[in-house]
């Protein structure tokens, strides 16, 4: 981190909670098609410069976002050990390797959304680690200890419009997650004015130019074995079934509103 960056970050960190939240809210609109709440601490502060300094033109140093809840908060559905290793080891590694990859590729000053839009032009490390960094940031927010149940009125209507019933959406999403061969993700995205279920291999996401179905992510599930193997071993469908108990529908709704506004 150079001196100027350090001073800029320090200045942001010393702002009061309310003012800082506003900055974060404004900045995240610019840099994120989905509403990402990064912070797990009481004041709602974040230290993630990718959110605070979108498109600043200065080299970015991405930092591992804190989990928005304790490791054991999603039990019994997702166990504490899985959450700890998944966040502290896997997500940390993607974050570290993404920083190295964009530096090597000479694109450390580029907005992450612009990187995704042109990801096929860059070395595979940019795609794999950039997706790993970003997808996991979404994934922590897609779950909540107060999650589960059903989406609220407006989103529910949209789901029924696109899939017939909530149950048929649930089946479609679960099937996409269960049948994604090897490692990857299943997604609910807003694409061309409608909701679509899709899946991606590895750490690809629907914001990337290589995605089969492109759109704004509303909901996602990690189906890499590291996301479930400690508790569920080879029983991926059991993990997927448990995921429905922790889905943060308020966050999905916020993403839907954001996607509609774009
Ligand atoms: Mn993962």
């Amino acid at each position: 981190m150079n001196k100027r960056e350090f001073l800029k970050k320090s200045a942001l960190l010393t702002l009061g909670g309310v003012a800082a939240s506003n900055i974060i809210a404004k900045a995240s609109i610019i840099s994120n098609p989905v509403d990402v709440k990064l912070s797990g601490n009481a004041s709602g502060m974040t230290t993630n410069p990718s959110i605070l300094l979108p498109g600043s033109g200065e080299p970015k140093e991405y930092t591992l976002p804190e989990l928005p809840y304790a490791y054991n908060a999603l039990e019994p559905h997702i166990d504490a050990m899985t959450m700890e290793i998944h966040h502290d080891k896997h997500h940390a590694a993607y974050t570290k390797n993404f920083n190295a990859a964009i530096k090597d590729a000479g694109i450390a000053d580029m907005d992450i959304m612009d990187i995704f839009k042109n990801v096929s032009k860059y070395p595979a490390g940019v795609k794999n680690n950039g997706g790993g960094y970003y997808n996991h940031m979404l994934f922590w927010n897609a779950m909540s200890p107060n999650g589960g149940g059903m989406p609220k009125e407006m989103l529910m209507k949209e789901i029924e419009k696109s899939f017939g019933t909530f149950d048929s959406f649930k089946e479609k999403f679960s099937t996409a997650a269960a049948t994604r061969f090897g490692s990857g993700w299943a997604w609910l995205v807003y694409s061309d004015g409608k909701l679509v279920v899709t899946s991606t291999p590895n750490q690809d996401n629907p914001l990337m130019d290589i995605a089969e179905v492109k759109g704004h992510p509303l909901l996602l599930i990690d189906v890499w074995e590291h996301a479930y193997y400690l508790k569920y071993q080879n029983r991926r469908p059991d993990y997927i079934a448990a995921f429905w108990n922790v889905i943060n529908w308020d966050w999905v709704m916020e993403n839907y509103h954001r996607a509609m506004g774009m």
Side-chain angles (χ1 to χ4, degrees):
M1 186 188 311
N2 64 34
K3 194 179 171 195
R4 195 170 154 214
E5 247 184 309
F6 175 78
L7 291 172
K8 209 162 172 183
K9 278 182 201 171
S10 304
L12 285 165
L13 290 173
T14 53
L15 288 169
V18 172
S21 304
N22 287 341
I23 289 168
I24 293 159
K26 277 180 199 159
S28 65
I29 287 167
I30 298 163
S31 65
N32 287 289
V34 293
D35 185 40
V36 176
K37 288 187 180 63
L38 296 167
S39 178
N41 61 26
S43 65
M45 293 282 287
T46 177
T47 54
N48 190 317
S50 68
I51 301 301
L52 291 171
L53 304 171
S56 63
E58 291 179 22
K60 293 179 184 68
E61 180 82 22
Y62 293 92
T63 55
L64 178 67
E66 282 178 50
L67 271 186
Y69 35 72
Y71 298 126
N72 65 358
L74 304 177
E75 287 197 349
H77 312 294
I78 315 282
D79 63 289
M81 179 69 88
T82 295
M83 289 302 294
E84 183 171 351
I85 296 172
H86 201 173
H87 176 269
D88 292 9
K89 305 294 182 196
H90 292 274
H91 197 186
Y94 289 123
T95 305
K96 181 170 175 273
N97 295 336
F98 183 45
N99 282 318
I102 53 176
K103 207 175 150 194
D104 285 353
I107 52 171
D109 61 342
M110 197 181 282
D111 187 276
I112 193 167
M113 290 305 129
D114 292 330
I115 292 176
F116 287 161
K117 275 179 213 157
N118 298 289
V119 85
S120 60
K121 295 179 189 159
Y122 305 121
V126 171
K127 177 185 74 164
N128 294 336
N129 294 296
Y133 162 75
Y134 191 78
N135 297 348
H136 286 93
M137 188 163 68
L138 301 188
F139 186 52
W140 311 137
N141 287 277
M143 300 184 288
S144 162
N146 308 312
M150 310 277 263
K152 289 190 188 115
E153 189 76 356
M154 192 182 173
L155 180 61
M156 187 61 128
K157 275 196 178 139
E158 194 62 36
I159 284 173
E160 286 169 351
K161 205 172 98 189
S162 300
F163 302 102
T165 62
F166 180 76
D167 281 348
S168 61
F169 155 67
K170 190 172 171 178
E171 197 188 324
K172 199 160 189 183
F173 186 88
S174 298
T175 301
T179 58
R180 164 46 61 187
F181 185 76
S183 300
W185 298 78
W187 306 82
L188 173 67
V189 299
Y190 187 74
S191 178
D192 285 337
K194 60 182 189 299
L195 301 184
V196 180
V197 166
T198 185
S199 72
T200 55
N202 306 313
Q203 296 295 352
D204 294 5
N205 70 42
L207 299 161
M208 294 178 174
D209 61 355
I210 49 161
E212 209 174 302
V213 175
K214 293 179 195 64
H216 299 284
L218 305 184
L219 175 67
L220 73 170
I221 181 173
D222 188 342
V223 294
W224 283 60
E225 283 186 346
H226 67 228
Y228 61 87
Y229 207 86
L230 288 179
K231 184 176 171 71
Y232 297 98
Q233 292 84 48
N234 60 325
R235 303 186 308 277
R236 191 194 283 189
D238 290 356
Y239 155 70
I240 296 164
F243 178 71
W244 291 93
N245 296 310
V246 294
I247 293 177
N248 183 356
W249 286 111
D250 290 340
W251 179 78
V252 179
M253 181 72 148
E254 284 167 32
N255 295 334
Y256 172 66
H257 284 309
R258 193 174 296 258
M260 294 277 286
M262 290 175 84

